[in-house]
Amino acid sequence: MDLGSNFPAKLEPYLLMAKGLKGAAAAKLIQDATSAPGVFVFSELLELPNIQELGKSEQHGKFLSSLQLFSYKTYQDYVSHKDLLPPLNEAQTTKLKHLSIVSLAADRRILPYADLLKALDTPTIRELEDLIIDAIYLDILRGKLDQKEQQLEVEYTMGRDLEPGKLEEVLAALHNWAETTSSVLATLDAKIQEIAKESEAAKQSELEHEKVLQATLKEVFEKQKEKALGGGNMMNRRLLERDRDGMFMDVDEDAGKSKNRKATDGFRVSGLCLCSRFFSGGKKPGL
């Protein structure tokens, strides 16, 4: 739920009672509404014709000023014009200080304790922090107390009623905000497109690099394969040549051994024949 979204409902009973009230009764109603817990917006009550008529009364005109004070002014405005306003009770004083914090936060997000102490006429930091904590619990603002830095860091606040003549300023501020936002968005879009192009270019470069790498690896693999196959063929040829040389050598050796056997066998036969002749004829061999 947004801050202050239930505040108009808290004002509703006073709007119903205000119909037809005039003079002192209307002034008393203003006092009750500005003192009531949870009532922080007053524009609808302020716009009622019978409430506006109080401004014409010298006796009750200050109560209309009091309602204007709670609608869009601050505690410092009360201090500056205290003589022209009815006195505030304790509940009204606390509520006006809460609303003053909201107004101060509209100009800046960081509120130093020193500025708050002065603006709210609060004597001690302890009282100031209690006031801020109560405002947070009442759903008037969201923020964090930084005791080390002695400051209030405001996240966001409720919206107060607009002072007459301020609507144009708010519209101008919103217009400037819209233009600034559009400019920032345009800059962000351009940056996003630039990043997208750079990302796409990097992706394409990576793909090209990967393609070149794969081609290089394939080329190296093919060369190693060819080299391996070439070395194997050379070895096979050498083995074949060695086997062939060995075969020829074996044939020559076998042929030589055969000749030697034949010569030896012939010698043996010749010797036997000579011995046979010698013993049969009585002659010595070789004589």
Side-chain angles (χ1 to χ4, degrees):
M1 183 179 293
D2 294 335
L3 288 182
S5 60
N6 64 332
F7 291 160
K10 298 288 184 69
L11 182 66
E12 191 67 28
Y14 297 95
L15 295 175
L16 295 174
M17 289 187 291
K19 293 179 179 179
L21 294 181
K22 293 184 179 181
K28 176 66 167 59
L29 180 73
I30 290 174
Q31 287 292 91
D32 292 341
T34 53
S35 302
V39 181
F40 294 100
V41 290
F42 306 93
S43 61
E44 292 182 78
L45 181 61
L46 184 61
E47 291 169 357
L48 293 177
N50 55 320
I51 298 297
Q52 287 293 320
E53 285 182 5
L54 292 176
K56 300 176 182 179
S57 170
E58 185 176 341
Q59 182 180 0
H60 301 111
K62 58 183 179 181
F63 291 97
L64 177 63
S65 298
S66 177
L67 186 58
Q68 293 170 339
L69 177 72
F70 279 88
S71 294
Y72 41 73
K73 295 184 181 294
T74 66
Y75 184 77
Q76 283 298 310
D77 293 316
Y78 169 74
V79 173
S80 300
H81 303 89
K82 185 181 294 186
D83 296 337
L84 303 176
L85 295 166
L88 301 180
N89 58 37
E90 184 178 352
Q92 288 174 316
T93 301
T94 301
K95 179 181 291 189
L96 186 57
K97 288 183 177 182
H98 284 158
L99 292 172
S100 298
I101 297 174
V102 173
S103 295
L104 292 171
D107 297 328
R108 47 184 173 161
R109 196 177 72 85
I110 303 297
L111 299 175
Y113 280 4
D115 293 349
L116 290 172
L117 288 170
K118 181 179 179 181
L120 305 177
D121 194 21
T122 305
T124 66
I125 292 179
R126 176 63 183 273
E127 292 183 31
L128 174 63
E129 290 181 339
D130 289 343
L131 190 69
I132 295 170
I133 292 171
D134 288 342
I136 293 174
Y137 277 112
L138 288 170
D139 217 22
I140 296 173
L141 62 88
R142 297 280 173 82
K144 182 176 67 174
L145 292 173
D146 189 340
Q147 295 179 324
K148 181 180 179 181
E149 298 296 331
Q150 297 285 286
Q151 62 188 18
L152 168 63
E153 298 178 6
V154 180
E155 295 178 7
Y156 47 93
T157 70
M158 59 162 282
R160 293 194 67 185
D161 298 320
L162 282 179
E163 185 177 357
K166 293 289 185 179
L167 180 61
E168 290 75 13
E169 294 182 13
V170 173
L171 291 175
L174 289 174
H175 180 70
N176 292 335
W177 176 82
E179 288 184 345
T180 303
T181 303
S182 298
S183 176
V184 171
L185 290 175
T187 302
L188 288 175
D189 288 339
K191 192 65 177 178
I192 290 172
Q193 292 179 2
E194 181 181 351
I195 293 173
K197 289 180 180 179
E198 291 177 356
S199 178
E200 183 63 24
K203 184 177 179 180
Q204 291 297 327
S205 176
E206 185 178 353
L207 290 175
E208 290 295 330
H209 175 74
E210 183 67 20
K211 189 182 296 184
V212 172
L213 177 62
Q214 292 298 328
T216 303
L217 291 174
K218 183 177 180 181
E219 182 180 354
V220 171
F221 176 75
E222 292 294 337
K223 288 182 178 180
Q224 289 181 345
K225 184 177 179 181
E226 290 177 1
K227 185 177 180 180
L229 291 175
N233 291 335
M234 182 68 70
M235 185 177 293
N236 291 334
R237 285 197 297 271
R238 289 178 178 176
L239 290 174
L240 289 174
E241 290 175 358
R242 189 183 67 182
D243 292 343
R244 183 186 63 189
D245 294 341
M247 181 182 67
F248 291 157
M249 186 180 294
D250 291 342
V251 171
D252 293 340
E253 289 178 356
D254 291 342
K257 290 179 181 179
S258 178
K259 290 180 180 179
N260 291 334
R261 282 198 300 270
K262 288 181 180 180
T264 303
D265 292 342
F267 180 77
R268 288 176 180 174
V269 171
S270 299
L272 289 174
C273 293
L274 288 175
C275 290
S276 176
R277 288 177 183 175
F278 175 77
F279 288 109
S280 64
K283 293 183 180 181
K284 295 179 179 179
L287 297 175

